[in-house]
């Protein structure tokens, strides 16, 4: 595909010149960076990135192509993609097409030739901010005006753009139309879909569960009417402080059934417990984030993707902090035995990332069975 001159610009006026490897276009969103060396397909299809333009810090992207097995949702959710060098000649036995062709087919603008080290350093110093990428408005002053007029990321409910439209079932055969729980699983898990990743459902099924997935704005009464054994609150995009309706629903569910939350689900649970959230300067995004398990003092290398955090000092006294981030000591996990509730800020389902924390799915299913001891081995 013919390359087109492209402009990458931040809302503070900083800009970089590069070239598009996906055709022409223009897009706006919060510009963030991810430190993963692999996993670009999973990142691009992770609904948590809705409304964001992702910069990869690893310098060569695209070398293993795209395949139909590594999708974490049904489509691409990022607003744009920035890399140092794009590799169109992929080599992998599972690959079906190139990254560039896939992005182009889906109308997603991909930019290469950017000094991603300089861009990442700027974001680390000044914080994540709004920005844009374009092949159309190449006058920096005019493009900056467009960026400033684009929607803010903070304060918006973005879950409504990524949650499912109706209830559906996920079991041994994957996604199916909803009829009811089939009874093929040992555990019946109700899932509140705030923008979930498919590997979360796959792991639940592998471990003997079957899942009924609900749109994020489903009432607590409807969820409980199916008498699930446990309730899972998924990851998702945007500012958790804007999700007042979902927080109210989860607050109504506290103590009714065992509860497990990941990433945005963790932030929603934190708010339901009475704490507030705040925006991190540049967030945690990558597959190499060290987290300390406070029960066994072991370090878990984790996959993360979040720009907000729960204020741990505002949690109620009955909430036990289970994990902390070793880079900045922020909250990474909560356990409330009395409520049979647990949550983590990171992604134990990996995809992409290490498998250090996958035990948390077993821990939640133990919680469903009534155990409250030795959940964090």
């Amino acid at each position: 595909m013919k390359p087109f001159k492209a402009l990458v610009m931040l809302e503070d006026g900083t800009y970089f010149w590069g070239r598009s490897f996906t055709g022409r276009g223009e897009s706006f969103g919060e510009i963030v960076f991810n430190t993963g060396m692999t996993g670009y397909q999973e990142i691009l299809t992770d609904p948590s990135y809705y409304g964001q333009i992702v910069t990869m810090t690893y310098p060569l992207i695209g070398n293993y192509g795209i395949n139909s097995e590594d999708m974490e949702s049904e489509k691409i959710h990022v607003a744009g993609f920035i890399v140092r060098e794009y590799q169109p000649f992929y080599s992998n036995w599972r690959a079906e097409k190139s990254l560039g062709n896939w992005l182009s087919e889906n109308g997603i603008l991909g930019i290469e030739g950017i000094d991603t080290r300089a861009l990442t350093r700027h974001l680390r110093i000044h914080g994540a901010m709004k920005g844009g990428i374009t092949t159309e408005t190449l006058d920096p002053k005019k493009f900056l005006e467009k960026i400033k007029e684009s929607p803010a990321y903070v304060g918006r409910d973005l879950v409504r753009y990524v949650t499912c439209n109706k209830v559906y079932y996920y079991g041994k055969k994957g996604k199916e139309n909803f009829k009811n729980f089939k009874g093929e699983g040992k555990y019946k898990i109700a899932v509140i879909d705030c923008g979930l990743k498919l590997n979360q459902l796959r792991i639940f099924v592998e471990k003997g569960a079957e899942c009924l997935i609900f749109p994020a704005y489903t009432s607590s009464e409807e969820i409980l009417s199916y008498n699930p054994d446990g309730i899972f609150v998924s990851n998702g995009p945007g500012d958790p402080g804007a999700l007042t309706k979902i927080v109210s629903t989860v607050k109504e569910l506290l103590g009714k059934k065992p509860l497990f939350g990941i990433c945005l689900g963790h932030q929603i649970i934190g708010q339901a417990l009475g704490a507030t959230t705040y925006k991190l300067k540049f967030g945690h995004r990558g597959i190499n984030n060290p987290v300390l398990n406070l029960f066994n003092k072991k370090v878990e290398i984790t996959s993360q993707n979040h720009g907000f955090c729960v204020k741990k000092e505002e949690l109620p006294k009955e909430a036990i902090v289970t994990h902390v981030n070793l880079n900045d000591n922020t909250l990474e996990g909560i356990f409330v035995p009395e409520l049979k509730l647990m949550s983590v800020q990171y992604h134990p389902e990996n995809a992409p990332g290490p498998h250090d924390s996958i035990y948390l799915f077993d821990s939640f299913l133990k919680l469903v069975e009534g155990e409250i001891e030795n959940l964090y081995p």
Side-chain angles (χ1 to χ4, degrees):
M1 180 174 291
K2 179 183 176 181
F4 294 93
K5 186 176 181 180
L7 176 64
V8 175
M9 175 170 271
L10 300 169
E11 66 175 318
D12 66 358
T14 303
Y15 62 90
F16 303 82
W17 293 106
R19 57 190 174 273
S20 165
F21 60 92
T22 60
R24 306 186 71 96
E26 186 168 282
S27 185
F28 303 92
E30 183 182 49
I31 297 186
V32 299
F33 62 88
N34 186 293
T35 59
M37 294 183 292
T38 62
Y40 53 78
Q41 182 175 344
E42 293 92 333
I43 290 165
L44 291 167
T45 56
D46 181 350
S48 298
Y49 282 109
Y50 182 89
Q52 294 179 318
I53 298 171
V54 178
T55 302
M56 299 299 292
T57 62
Y58 190 71
L60 183 66
I61 300 295
N63 55 310
Y64 56 85
I66 296 294
N67 68 76
S68 56
E69 297 178 17
D70 291 340
M71 301 286 287
E72 281 303 308
S73 67
E74 295 179 346
K75 64 180 182 179
I76 301 172
H77 289 280
V78 302
F81 199 46
I82 301 171
V83 302
R84 176 69 185 93
E85 180 182 351
Y86 165 61
Q87 173 53 265
F89 303 106
Y90 58 88
S91 178
N92 185 276
W93 67 276
R94 295 192 304 151
E96 299 164 7
K97 62 180 67 176
S98 72
L99 169 63
N101 285 343
W102 183 57
L103 290 173
S104 181
E105 290 168 5
N106 288 275
I108 305 298
L109 189 57
I111 306 297
E112 70 165 331
I114 300 297
D115 185 345
T116 51
R117 291 177 300 178
L119 175 55
T120 299
R121 181 172 173 79
H122 189 84
L123 294 175
R124 282 182 61 88
I125 293 171
H126 300 284
M129 62 187 81
K130 285 198 304 181
I133 54 179
T134 184
T135 62
E136 308 303 291
T137 310
L138 297 181
D139 182 330
K141 289 184 179 180
K142 291 182 179 179
F143 194 47
L144 182 58
E145 292 175 4
K146 286 188 173 183
I147 290 171
K148 290 183 176 180
E149 293 171 356
S150 66
Y153 189 77
V154 177
R156 293 170 63 205
D157 175 1
L158 299 182
V159 169
R160 62 194 180 101
Y161 297 107
V162 298
T163 189
C164 57
N165 295 320
K166 59 182 180 180
V167 184
Y168 68 91
Y169 173 86
Y170 195 97
K172 292 178 180 179
K173 295 181 180 179
K175 181 178 179 180
E176 299 182 50
N177 291 330
F178 167 65
K179 294 179 181 178
N180 204 331
F181 284 115
K182 294 185 175 182
E184 66 182 21
K186 183 179 179 181
Y187 312 99
K188 300 183 294 183
I189 305 299
V191 177
I192 300 176
D193 176 15
C194 298
L196 64 84
K197 293 171 63 182
L198 287 177
N199 213 42
Q200 294 163 352
L201 302 181
R202 296 184 192 113
I203 292 173
F204 273 127
V205 172
E206 287 172 5
K207 295 186 178 297
E210 56 183 342
C211 301
L212 189 59
I213 295 84
F214 294 88
Y217 307 98
T218 305
S219 69
S220 59
E221 292 82 5
E222 182 175 352
I223 294 171
L224 291 172
S225 70
Y226 294 94
N227 193 29
D229 297 314
I231 300 170
F232 172 66
V233 189
S234 82
N235 63 291
D239 183 352
L243 307 178
T244 53
K245 186 177 187 304
I246 305 173
V247 171
S248 294
T249 298
V250 171
K251 190 172 184 178
E252 293 169 359
L253 293 170
L254 294 180
K256 302 290 179 59
K257 297 288 182 178
L259 197 62
F260 181 32
I262 287 176
C263 201
L264 183 63
H266 161 85
Q267 297 162 357
I268 290 169
I269 287 172
Q271 291 179 91
L273 289 171
T276 58
T277 58
Y278 64 97
K279 196 174 193 309
L280 295 167
K281 185 175 181 180
F282 49 80
H284 303 154
R285 298 178 180 88
I287 56 177
N288 54 359
N289 291 268
V291 165
L292 180 63
N293 181 324
L294 295 177
F295 281 83
N296 60 21
K297 305 303 180 183
K298 291 181 179 179
V299 176
E300 300 171 19
I301 303 302
T302 67
S303 177
Q304 301 205 8
N305 171 26
H306 63 102
F308 294 83
C309 193
V310 176
K311 292 184 179 180
K312 57 186 175 183
E313 62 274 14
E314 294 181 356
L315 290 170
K317 61 181 180 180
E318 61 269 22
I320 300 170
V321 174
T322 60
H323 299 79
V324 294
N325 190 293
L326 287 177
N327 287 331
D328 58 10
N329 201 39
T330 51
L331 177 67
E332 293 281 1
I334 303 170
F335 176 45
V336 184
E338 294 87 347
L339 298 176
K340 292 187 177 181
L341 175 158
M342 60 189 296
S343 66
V344 288
Q345 180 62 80
Y346 51 94
H347 286 265
E349 81 280 358
N350 51 78
H355 294 207
D356 294 26
S357 307
I358 201 168
Y359 70 88
L360 288 164
F361 287 89
D362 294 309
S363 297
F364 174 57
L365 296 178
K366 288 180 181 178
L367 197 62
V368 166
E369 292 181 338
E371 296 184 38
I372 59 171
E373 302 290 337
N374 302 315
L375 300 181
Y376 299 92

